[in-house]
Amino acid sequence: AMDPKRQVKLNDGHFIPVLGFGTYAPPETAKSEAQEVTQFAIEVGFRHIDCAHVYQNEEQVGQAIRSKIADGTVKREDIFYTSKLWLTSLRQELVRPALEKSLKTLQLGYVDLYIIHFPLAVKPGEELYPKDENGKLIADSVDLCHTWEALEKCKDAGLTKSIGVSNFNHKQLERILNKPGLKYKPVCNQVECHPYLNQKKLLDFCKSHDIVLVAYAALGSQRLKEWVNLDLPVLLEDPVLCAIAKKHKQTPALVALRYQIQRGVVVLAKSYNKKRIKENIQVFDFELTPEDMKAIDGINRNIRYYEFLLGINHPEYPFLEEY
Ligand SMILES: NC(=O)c1ccc[n+]([C@@H]2O[C@H](COP(=O)([O-])OP(=O)(O)OC[C@H]3O[C@@H](n4cnc5c(N)ncnc54)[C@H](OP(=O)(O)O)[C@@H]3O)[C@@H](O)[C@H]2O)c1
């Protein structure tokens, strides 16, 4: 259940704020604007910040967090910071060094949550997207259960409070859950989730194992041409979302965020625009009716904006399973 501090309890006893600030931006803005917008997000009330090694802006986001601690706006323990283990570091012996590198870049002593970014191990090295002659990622054969054991050790060492996964399908999650000698369950699975891909089955599966589903692209993604097929419809122009927004005197974006919170999903919202960052925190100021929720459930159409086709040939490519 949601407490007055707008958090939910994870299966390891820690708490996660139900609204998170997404920090991914294209390279032109990721470095130059991340610090300013993250500071602003903290000022207007965001307490959960979602970042990753591969976004290449952990230095700026870490600086933002440290400056809001230094000026007394927040204490470290008020902030929930997520980083992600990149695909070149899924080999067991590379996990802890990767987290230590993020911590050094951030200049923080720990992260709150460290998650496996994708279940797709690729060739280790400095290159973030090592590709073959067909432009597809070069797979590395790694047992995800071994990666998981290394994450468990990072938690025990205090480098991260909680550990989880991202972009895992239910079979991949099951493999971790059924691992002999499992010490900690994943606290979350962070996946694409919005009214056009509402992930009902994966959500039910996660709920049945006390795993929190964290929604990315909850506003329909940034529609960057490198990652998203721009022929797909624009989520925030959906007539049902627009009608519900109008009825509540809110925006379609707020309706899309509120929908997730009311169905027990932790939701991320990326914005690098101050007006919209401030708007998004208003998700706590209104409530959708059961009829609204049902109407939004009805517009699901299995549209995946981030297909990550670079990884389509990888034996662990997650999105061929139904859920
Ligand atoms: N685990 C993964 O593999 C993975 C993958 C993708 C994303 N993520 C995480 O999830 C975060 C969010 O996903 P996302 O980056 O795809 O974006 P998103 O949250 O779906 O947002 C998409 C776009 O909506 C716009 N927007 C924000 N607030 C709005 C509002 N109130 N009204 C109208 N438009 C609004 C933003 O543009 P402006 O900036 O111009 O406001 C943003 O570019 C990422 O930043 C990242 O932290 C994780």
Side-chain angles (χ1 to χ4, degrees):
M2 207 176 114
D3 83 350
K5 283 154 78 191
R6 299 160 175 176
Q7 308 185 86
V8 287
K9 197 173 189 172
L10 298 168
N11 65 34
D12 67 356
H14 291 293
F15 287 83
I16 186 170
V18 296
L19 174 68
F21 180 67
T23 63
Y24 177 71
E28 314 87 82
T29 43
K31 281 193 166 64
S32 59
E33 297 175 25
Q35 185 181 340
E36 171 86 13
V37 295
T38 305
Q39 283 177 199
F40 186 75
I42 295 171
E43 282 160 20
V44 300
F46 279 89
R47 292 295 176 265
H48 167 179
I49 296 160
D50 183 81
C51 196
H53 170 69
V54 78
Y55 301 168
Q56 300 189 60
N57 58 4
E58 283 200 297
E59 186 184 338
Q60 290 74 21
V61 172
Q63 177 63 50
I65 294 169
R66 286 182 296 106
S67 83
K68 294 312 320 167
I69 294 171
D71 76 5
T73 307
V74 287
K75 300 201 217 45
R76 174 65 186 89
E77 58 269 30
D78 300 328
I79 294 289
F80 188 99
Y81 179 84
T82 301
S83 185
K84 308 189 188 87
L85 175 68
W86 188 239
L87 314 185
T88 48
S89 301
L90 264 53
R91 287 189 187 179
Q92 201 158 38
E93 68 276 15
L94 299 179
V95 173
R96 182 173 175 149
L99 175 50
E100 284 171 338
K101 188 174 177 192
S102 278
L103 289 172
K104 193 169 174 221
T105 305
L106 291 157
Q107 297 185 54
L108 294 177
Y110 65 90
V111 299
D112 294 276
L113 176 60
Y114 200 50
I115 63 185
I116 303 176
H117 207 142
F118 277 89
L120 304 171
V122 306
K123 182 175 159 274
E126 281 307 303
E127 217 179 327
L128 293 170
Y129 297 94
K131 291 175 193 159
D132 62 19
E133 59 283 358
N134 303 314
K136 298 298 180 197
L137 289 176
I138 302 171
D140 189 23
S141 77
V142 172
D143 182 340
L144 294 169
C145 286
H146 292 158
T147 310
W148 187 254
E149 287 165 3
L151 280 171
E152 291 180 330
K153 291 199 176 83
C154 290
K155 176 172 159 77
D156 280 335
L159 303 181
T160 181
K161 300 284 181 196
S162 298
I163 52 178
V165 299
S166 179
N167 298 302
F168 275 43
N169 63 41
H170 84 284
K171 290 194 172 159
Q172 293 166 326
L173 272 172
E174 235 159 22
R175 252 191 277 148
I176 305 283
L177 293 170
N178 294 335
K179 188 187 87 67
L182 181 73
K183 188 163 186 192
Y184 304 114
K185 296 206 291 186
V187 298
C188 73
N189 187 19
Q190 182 182 126
V191 294
E192 176 170 340
C193 184
H194 45 73
Y196 284 169
L197 183 76
N198 72 24
Q199 302 275 22
K200 174 80 172 84
K201 288 186 178 169
L202 188 58
L203 177 58
D204 288 344
F205 177 87
C206 287
K207 282 182 178 173
S208 74
H209 291 280
D210 196 15
I211 293 169
V212 167
L213 193 149
V214 179
Y216 73 69
L219 301 173
S221 90
Q222 301 184 39
R223 302 179 70 87
L224 301 170
K225 65 175 188 309
E226 309 89 292
W227 299 112
V228 173
N229 171 0
L230 298 179
D231 294 335
L232 295 172
V234 177
L235 177 72
L236 299 183
E237 291 174 0
D238 182 87
V240 170
L241 286 183
C242 290
I244 293 171
K246 199 169 171 200
K247 186 181 79 173
H248 289 277
K249 299 191 168 64
Q250 303 291 343
T251 63
L254 284 168
V255 171
L257 298 176
R258 184 75 206 179
Y259 169 68
Q260 301 296 359
I261 291 176
Q262 286 189 214
R263 63 204 287 262
V265 167
V266 168
V267 69
L268 304 176
K270 174 267 175 182
S271 179
Y272 270 42
N273 171 286
K274 288 190 176 177
K275 182 170 160 284
R276 290 188 285 275
I277 294 170
K278 208 169 166 187
E279 175 186 319
N280 293 341
I281 203 89
Q282 292 170 24
V283 70
F284 298 111
D285 298 349
F286 74 107
E287 209 173 322
L288 297 169
T289 65
E291 294 72 32
D292 295 332
M293 292 296 290
K294 215 173 151 205
I296 302 169
D297 282 338
I299 64 175
N300 184 46
R301 55 195 66 174
N302 298 314
I303 289 176
R304 189 183 289 282
Y305 292 107
Y306 292 105
E307 288 185 288
F308 206 64
L309 294 173
L310 273 179
I312 188 105
N313 296 332
H314 195 292
E316 295 277 10
Y317 182 73
F319 307 140
L320 300 174
E321 279 297 324
E322 188 201 352
Y323 71 100

